[in-house]
Amino acid sequence: VKAVADDLVGDKGGNLGRSVVVAGRTQGAPVHALCHALNAALGNAGKTVTYLPMSEEEAASSVDGLKRLCAEMARGEVDTLVCLGVNPVYDAPVDLKFADLFAKVGTRITLSVESTETAHASNWILSGAHYLESWGDTEAYDGTCAPIQPMIAPLFAGKSDLEVLGIIAGMEKPDGYEIVRATWKGRLGMGAAGGLAGADFERTWRRALFDGILKNAPSAAEAPGASVNLGAVAGALRSTEFTGGPTDGSLDVVFTTWNVGDGRFANYGWLQELPEPITKLVWDNVALISPKTAARLGLAREPETVKKRRGRMARITVDGYSMELPAWALPGLPDNVVVLPLGYGRQRCGRVGEGVGFNTYAVRTSGSRHLARGALLERSGDGEKWHTISTTQLHGSMEGRALLREVDAAAWRKHGRQPPVVKTDEYGKESTLNFAERLRGGELTEAPATINIYSSPQRGGKDMRALPGTDFFKRPQWGMTIDLGTCIGCNVCTVACQAENNIPIVGKIEADKGRTMHWIRVDRYFVSEADLSRPNPEEAFPEDPHLSVAFQPVACVHCENAPCETVCPVNATVHGIEGINYMVYNRCIGTRYCANNCPYKVRRFNFFDYGVAKFNGDYIGKDKMPGGGPANVNLIPPRLREKLDEITKLQMNPDVTVRSRGVMEKCTYCIQRINAARIETKLKDLPAIPDGMFQTACQQACPTGAIVFGDILDTTSNGGKGSAAYQAREHGRSYLLLGFLNTRPRTTHMAGLRNSNPAIRKPVEDPFEPEGGGPEGGEHAHAGGTRWLDRSSASRDQGHKMSLTVLGGRA
């Protein structure tokens, strides 16, 4: 270990000496011990790595406790079993046979908010209170205490975990509020010598509720200086059998989770219809394998051009347990490795999630909770069994154009501070190109300068900039910027927008037709570090071992020269004086001309009454329909379908309308939040809406801060630097998506930066077109670290001809 650490510290660049070694959660204890030893040798312990004391109870394995419980049930020693907010009948390791043993217990009580397999197998089902209806508290690892207070009273008179435990402990009328207060009184020493008096406690308690945290609370003792017992680490490594990697006849299986988590969110339609970031699958889970493994096993995917996507059914056997599910080849995965997403295949969870996907807990054992070895994967039956797969990756495609732009960090460090370059085209027209617009392969480097044919009344002429006194010259003028170097493709913006704007789900059948209603989508691209200058560059993909992924969120960009507005026969889509492309629902007659004319493919049409009828709901005459009725209940006339009840309506945002069928809709920049901020500004008698006074839903939810929104004409905020939106728009990495079309988007994107390993590929410091040469001129280099796309053979060729800087079309 010391030799490895010395080698890391003594590297040529001096960078690895500051590295932290981290082991993944799928690794065993010996590997984690080895990482601790390396961090200690690197001097990270107590600096970049902090160790905290842990009791034996905290360190105990929950699986060991579950094993002891199953053993006691098998011996008949358990008369009453109470399950609080858990679902072991569904997700317990298959080798424990928990469901069979649970059925032998005399009294089975389950506290649950929703319908679960465990609740269905119980004698007594207690209505649980949602966490937003419950009192509680938390203690952080450093001893910080924080109260949990409910947002609403229980809708269905449910009980929290604390209250049920109080009943079990003998309390006659347990109250969560009083239980938490009693705990805090004891923690703060009320009544004891030196503790808080009654009035002082009440004041401290109310302040903690207001602040959300107990300030100046006694913190946990700091951990003593942690040291590594290298002898114990060496002994653990010697006693561990490290076999070789997976082989053709012995595959590795990695268990993971997708949008629905471990299954507890399976009945949430928003999450079922939220595309998984890499596969872009909705309403399903699959066995993910590499393209090479899929070809070897006869499980290769159908061509991208197939209208209805299907996955070939396969049988996987792990530790003697088998199940069937569709296989799906995905570039970037190691060969002979199968990734199985958990949380699907629920049998008791509600109308939305029941029967969706496949229950992979059927092959997950107590000894292989994260990683299993020695698995077998083969085609099911005669090999002609298929399963319909709904993927959104090719929906709203904009292939054939420069969309996502990335560049090596070395190029930005070298050229990023240079001023924009003025280019003169063949017609003598000048245009100014910043760093991102000059990248090799971008249309603006070769295309003539964009000019307006028509005079814009909101800009006051044909010029690109608004003239004084015109609409677009007056503040505020709203705009958004999305940083592709910060976006991690988590899709949180998509579901946040869905919740904020009452966007309905449509179901697997309609999603397979491309009718998902999301106002913002996150496009995924595969990026290869392979050498594409070879004669057959397609051989580098998808076998490139250094394949990476890039993401690009795309919503309505609110074009100043909006193509949708010129074709609407009823003026349902119009431009406002603040630069927003409005969508007037009451005018829309559903011609969908605007969607056809939108180059960004970001407009959504309500084909059915998704927003006012229950998903998978019953309807009049269902029992008399042959075969139980159609699989797609949307085909049933709206007047016969079950409508939303009052409880369901509570999920709707009252500030946003609920749209019905026949209406086109798209991103509105959260106009309801803009209006609320405008009203608040008037009440406070402010001259303008301050920068950062409000956020759009996607911006508020983004965990990396990749989305910025605000007034793009605000040059005075933030100490004279201007609004965050103004600064981002003026940044050298900012570019207009499909800017060569002269649509003048109000939403801009910032080119991403890649800091690739120089041992794999030498960074490109000059990613621009060579002087006097086009895309093919000069060195056929890796321009900026963006390499490849996988869509079809035609788009692969096209992507290569784009000179490797920009990605056109989505993989």
Side-chain angles (χ1 to χ4, degrees), residues 201-265:
F201 170 78
E202 196 65 32
R203 191 161 42 247
T204 302
W205 168 254
R206 291 185 177 275
R207 171 53 62 178
L209 292 180
F210 182 84
D211 294 336
I213 192 173
L214 177 62
K215 296 183 178 180
N216 303 320
S219 59
E222 292 188 5
S227 60
V228 177
N229 187 335
L230 295 179
V233 173
L237 294 176
R238 280 194 298 267
S239 62
T240 302
E241 181 182 358
F242 290 97
T243 59
T247 63
D248 292 353
S250 178
L251 280 65
D252 280 0
V253 175
V254 176
F255 295 97
T256 186
T257 56
W258 279 4
N259 295 332
V260 299
D262 59 2
R264 69 187 69 186
F265 305 127

Side-chain angles (χ1 to χ4, degrees), residues 67 87 165 241 259 283 344 381 390 520 554 598 655 670 682 739:
K67 287 181 178 179
N87 190 15
L165 288 174
E241 181 182 358
N259 295 332
W283 295 101
Y344 292 82
S390 181
I520 181 171
V554 180
C598 174
D655 296 329
C670 287
K682 290 182 179 180

Side-chain angles (χ1 to χ4, degrees), residues 83-135:
C83 299
L84 304 180
V86 293
N87 190 15
V89 170
Y90 166 70
D91 57 18
V94 62
D95 58 313
L96 299 183
K97 296 180 172 51
F98 184 92
D100 297 336
L101 297 174
F102 186 66
K104 298 179 181 180
V105 177
T107 304
R108 305 179 298 277
I109 305 173
T110 296
L111 174 73
S112 179
V113 177
E114 299 173 337
S115 176
T116 66
E117 288 81 356
T118 303
H120 182 72
S122 301
N123 313 98
W124 293 86
I125 304 175
L126 307 181
S127 177
H130 193 268
Y131 75 93
L132 295 178
E133 302 171 332
S134 306
W135 283 95

